[in-house]
Amino acid sequence: MPVIKYPRVRDPLFYEWDRKAQKCGLRHTIYAVNGDQYTGEWLNNLKHGKGTQIWKSTGAIYSGDWKFGKRDGYGSYSILDPVTKEYKKVYTGWWENDRRSGRGTFFYPNGELYEGEWSNGLRSGWGKMHYKDGSVYEGQWLTDQPNGQGLLRLPNGNWYEGGWKDGKKHGPGKYFYPDKGQLLEGIWVADIPKCGVLVDFGRDNAPAPTEFPLPEIKLHDPAGVLTEARAMFDDSHN
């Protein structure tokens, strides 16, 4: 009886071509259709591990950790200066799911600098901001604004420490005038002091004290006034 041989079933050739084209492990520079280029590690055809990406449209460059095609881990992002043709660092720190997350340092185009915590690409947590005018804020942040407790030092030497909300002084706080040797302790609402007590502190060493010292308040206890004001403030915001 004759033996009938059937041809072996084989996958289409493009299946084999696609398998060979899958990127996994360390690769040399890979160019995308739009001109972007990436050099580094891959896993299952996705950027994964250590690698460097250059975007053709902007000339920006990222070098650091990747996870399943997104920036994730520690890395630096820089942009190309169109005039000097040199790279200027924008952000160095931690990333998660292609956004700044964790601790990192951000360099603003106008020379300002932020060092601190991030969440979903926004300043959130504890951080320190150096402003262009010389002011420095250090404290709590939420969704890119000072929120919570923080300290703001001004170029003239004055400083405020206390509560913040939506980037403005809000709640119990203290405003120091070291040049006059005075302190305003009170309650702020949207950057405006609503009530408080102005007292002398370190007046003898102040460079420009007022002509006469502030009189002592003997009719009532300033601390008691502030305590009552704080209670009213807390009740109105609960």
Side-chain angles (χ1 to χ4, degrees), residues 1 24 39 41 44 57 75 117 120 175 182 188 194 201:
M1 183 176 179
C24 190
T39 305
E41 297 175 303
N44 297 331
S57 60
E117 297 176 309
N120 292 322
Y175 200 105
Q182 293 181 332
W188 272 257
K194 292 298 184 178
F201 85 100

Side-chain angles (χ1 to χ4, degrees), residues 168-183:
K168 297 181 179 180
K169 294 182 282 292
H170 196 84
K174 298 178 181 180
Y175 200 105
F176 293 83
Y177 302 89
D179 58 332
K180 298 184 180 299
Q182 293 181 332
L183 157 68

Side-chain angles (χ1 to χ4, degrees), residues 32-50:
V33 176
N34 61 3
D36 295 347
Q37 60 185 73
Y38 171 82
T39 305
E41 297 175 303
W42 298 77
L43 178 65
N44 297 331
N45 219 33
L46 295 173
K47 305 180 188 77
H48 192 88
K50 301 288 185 180

